[in-house]
Amino acid sequence: MTETELQRLTEDGRRLVGQSFMKGEATLTEEQLNEYVEPMPGRPTADLDRIDSAVQDVLEGYPEYETAIDGALAEEIHRSLDITRRTAGDPGLWHWLAVVRYPDLVRHRWEYRSEEAMREKFLGAGSDLYSNAIHRLWWIAELTSRGNDYSTTDAVFANQTMVNKVFDRWFARYQPAVRAMCDELADEPSRVIDETTRRFNHALTNVQLEGLSETEAREMIRQIVTESR
């Protein structure tokens, strides 16, 4: 295993990401990028060779815009980027990974529908864990894995409704609620997943989310599931 020092794309570097780049009609040279790439604070490292290999397998083995790409990469990205949540909270890291390191992956997974939507896949991140194409894979795996057990992560990515409805809600960064929600909805149809996540999200307007234990969240979710069937 070769550890590579992680970098970040500066805020000024975002202006390099234009429409032609997002469509794959133009590339960014090392000379263009040098001024806008800098080391991450604390100089964390990661096994990017492992991600390189997984990404290459996806580019060669999966059709464009295939949602199964997410499940094929999430565990590898999470294991290889052995970083803290604080490090993961730096948008510049994810911008560097998407723009500099793996732009072909972003284009292969996400069809260009509008400049705004594609820009989010390259330059999203921060508080919205559903935006950046690579950021979202790491965070979903971070919130659903249990040590070396990625079975819940795999189950989530096998159900696109689960990905869309659970991780695009504001409670999605609170791990106890996410784990309970994913476990309880694993075998439910899309209609129940949609209704349960919507009603749970609404219920939290009257409940302090961070005060909920996983057991308490599970009890709330089970009640909502029963009523939603």
Side-chain angles (χ1 to χ4, degrees), residues 2 47-55 75-76 79-80 102:
T2 303
D47 185 2
L48 295 188
D49 288 345
R50 181 172 176 173
I51 300 180
D52 290 347
S53 178
V55 167
E75 179 179 340
E76 292 299 303
R79 287 186 182 275
S80 303
Y102 303 114

Side-chain angles (χ1 to χ4, degrees), residues 39 94 114-115 128 132 137 147 152 168 170 198 207 212 227:
W94 306 105
S114 70
E115 183 171 352
D128 184 359
N132 181 280
L137 301 183
T152 302
D168 203 22
W170 75 270
R198 184 187 65 79
V207 176
L212 283 179
E227 295 170 356

Side-chain angles (χ1 to χ4, degrees), residues 112-136:
Y112 188 99
R113 296 183 181 274
S114 70
E115 183 171 352
E116 180 182 2
M118 199 63 170
R119 192 170 186 81
E120 182 180 72
K121 297 308 172 190
F122 278 106
L123 295 174
S127 60
D128 184 359
L129 64 82
Y130 196 72
S131 56
N132 181 280
I134 301 171
H135 171 266
R136 64 192 289 274

Side-chain angles (χ1 to χ4, degrees), residues 56-74:
Q56 192 60 40
D57 288 345
V58 160
L59 295 177
E60 295 174 355
Y62 286 78
E64 286 183 315
Y65 322 134
E66 174 62 61
T67 58
I69 289 170
D70 296 343
L73 287 175

Side-chain angles (χ1 to χ4, degrees), residues 28-188:
L28 296 175
T29 66
E30 187 174 341
E31 184 178 0
Q32 287 176 293
L33 289 163
N34 275 343
E35 181 181 350
Y36 305 105
V37 172
E38 62 187 18
M40 285 286 294
R43 297 185 178 272
T45 61
D47 185 2
L48 295 188
D49 288 345
R50 181 172 176 173
I51 300 180
D52 290 347
S53 178
V55 167
Q56 192 60 40
D57 288 345
V58 160
L59 295 177
E60 295 174 355
Y62 286 78
E64 286 183 315
Y65 322 134
E66 174 62 61
T67 58
I69 289 170
D70 296 343
L73 287 175
E75 179 179 340
E76 292 299 303
I77 287 173
H78 187 255
R79 287 186 182 275
S80 303
L81 295 175
D82 186 18
I83 56 178
T84 65
R85 292 187 183 184
R86 181 173 183 175
T87 297
D90 186 334
L93 166 63
W94 306 105
H95 299 165
W96 175 73
L97 288 169
V99 173
V100 180
R101 190 84 185 192
Y102 303 114
D104 290 342
L105 169 64
V106 179
R107 300 183 193 108
H108 192 80
R109 170 60 180 90
W110 298 96
E111 183 178 5
Y112 188 99
R113 296 183 181 274
S114 70
E115 183 171 352
E116 180 182 2
M118 199 63 170
R119 192 170 186 81
E120 182 180 72
K121 297 308 172 190
F122 278 106
L123 295 174
S127 60
D128 184 359
L129 64 82
Y130 196 72
S131 56
N132 181 280
I134 301 171
H135 171 266
R136 64 192 289 274
L137 301 183
W138 187 90
W139 269 108
I140 291 175
E142 170 72 6
L143 293 165
T144 57
S145 60
R146 293 171 168 88
N148 289 319
D149 181 2
Y150 286 83
S151 57
T152 302
T153 308
D154 293 338
V156 166
F157 281 112
N159 186 331
Q160 196 61 31
T161 302
M162 185 93 78
V163 175
N164 293 339
K165 298 301 181 180
V166 174
F167 294 94
D168 203 22
R169 302 290 192 185
W170 75 270
F171 65 80
R173 279 185 182 266
Y174 187 57
Q175 192 170 45
V178 168
R179 286 179 171 176
M181 183 69 74
C182 292
D183 288 346
E184 296 303 318
L185 294 180
D187 299 318
E188 298 295 337

